[in-house]
Amino acid sequence: MSLLIDPVQITPGMWLLPSFASSAQLLPEIDQIISTAPLRQMQTQRGFTMSVAMTNCGEVGWTSDRRGYRYSETDPETGAKWPAMPVSLKNLATDAAKTVGFDGFEPDACLINQYKPGAQMGAHQDRNERSFEHPIVSVSLGITARFFVLGEENRGPSKSVDLNDGDVIVFGGEARRHFHGVRKLKASTHPIVGDTRWNLTFRVAQ
């Protein structure tokens, strides 16, 4: 896919690719995945229920419960393998990473997050992957969300950017360990997606 707008550097190692993805093309793929591995609101290790509903596709999937955060080859709710990652999704992530200099990105996991108004994601690091040498590619579809990023510590000033339908963030290198999150979503609607924000997060987990 070619960019209509040049990549925007948010912090060193973290790039915004505006309008890089298409919700019209990706939503049927998401619906197919959910038909096999339904959305669920996972629990944190402390027993809190996340406000974001999640599922996965790929060789492994990210899960969370009272035992902690981890990747699993099977869906803990069904015991079945996670749905295979559609080629169109994998190619999107690979192309996005390559656009900002991360060549050879081959994700084996895609975490699918569904946000409704009022949902949020607190500041966190993505650190359950075996290696930090690979970037993470994050795709936003639907209503606008305010993304924020700090440094390697969960404190101090943050940088914020509004993510609109089709926007993609790629982060690696020094930004790979940075804390980041999503502010509470405001009520809104999108002509294709409705009152929902989808976030697809591609990783090399193994």
Side-chain angles (χ1 to χ4, degrees):
M1 182 176 293
S2 61
L3 271 176
L4 299 177
I5 305 173
D6 290 338
V8 177
Q9 188 179 61
I10 300 172
T11 64
M14 180 176 286
W15 297 88
L16 168 65
L17 282 61
S19 302
F20 193 83
S22 166
S23 56
Q25 293 176 3
L26 297 180
L27 284 177
E29 302 279 24
I30 294 172
D31 288 342
Q32 183 63 39
I33 293 165
I34 292 171
S35 71
T36 303
L39 294 165
R40 74 290 309 266
Q41 288 175 282
M42 299 182 190
Q43 280 195 328
T44 67
Q45 194 168 17
R46 295 182 179 181
F48 297 110
T49 300
M50 296 182 179
S51 61
V52 177
M54 303 176 178
T55 190
N56 295 275
C57 67
E59 296 174 32
V60 293
W62 185 90
T63 65
S64 174
D65 55 27
R66 296 300 294 267
R67 292 180 293 165
Y69 306 139
R70 63 195 179 280
Y71 285 98
S72 170
E73 293 184 355
T74 58
D75 183 339
E77 292 195 1
T78 65
K81 287 187 174 295
W82 297 103
M85 189 185 304
V87 173
S88 59
L89 267 64
K90 187 173 184 178
N91 288 345
L92 168 65
T94 298
D95 291 346
K98 185 177 181 179
T99 297
V100 292
F102 296 106
D103 293 342
F105 179 62
E106 295 288 338
D108 58 9
C110 175
L111 174 60
I112 299 172
N113 301 305
Q114 183 198 58
Y115 290 75
K116 292 288 187 177
Q120 61 187 329
M121 184 70 69
H124 64 281
Q125 292 171 307
D126 294 313
R127 56 185 181 185
N128 301 119
E129 297 71 39
R130 185 169 297 177
S131 171
F132 284 179
E133 67 178 290
H134 305 285
I136 286 178
V137 174
S138 177
V139 179
S140 291
L141 306 173
I143 65 175
T144 299
R146 176 152 292 183
F147 173 85
F148 67 94
V149 58
L150 300 117
E152 290 192 31
E153 297 185 12
N154 188 10
R155 62 182 182 182
S158 64
K159 291 185 177 181
S160 298
V161 59
D162 285 341
L163 299 179
N164 301 307
D165 179 56
D167 289 350
V168 175
I169 284 182
V170 182
F171 59 102
E174 62 184 278
R176 181 61 180 77
R177 297 174 184 267
H178 286 184
F179 280 86
H180 56 280
V182 174
R183 304 295 185 194
K184 186 177 294 186
L185 251 67
K186 297 180 179 179
S188 182
T189 59
H190 181 271
I192 296 175
V193 185
D195 66 344
T196 301
R197 177 203 181 222
W198 292 100
N199 173 234
L200 313 180
T201 307
F202 297 88
R203 302 115 181 253
V204 176
Q206 301 183 98

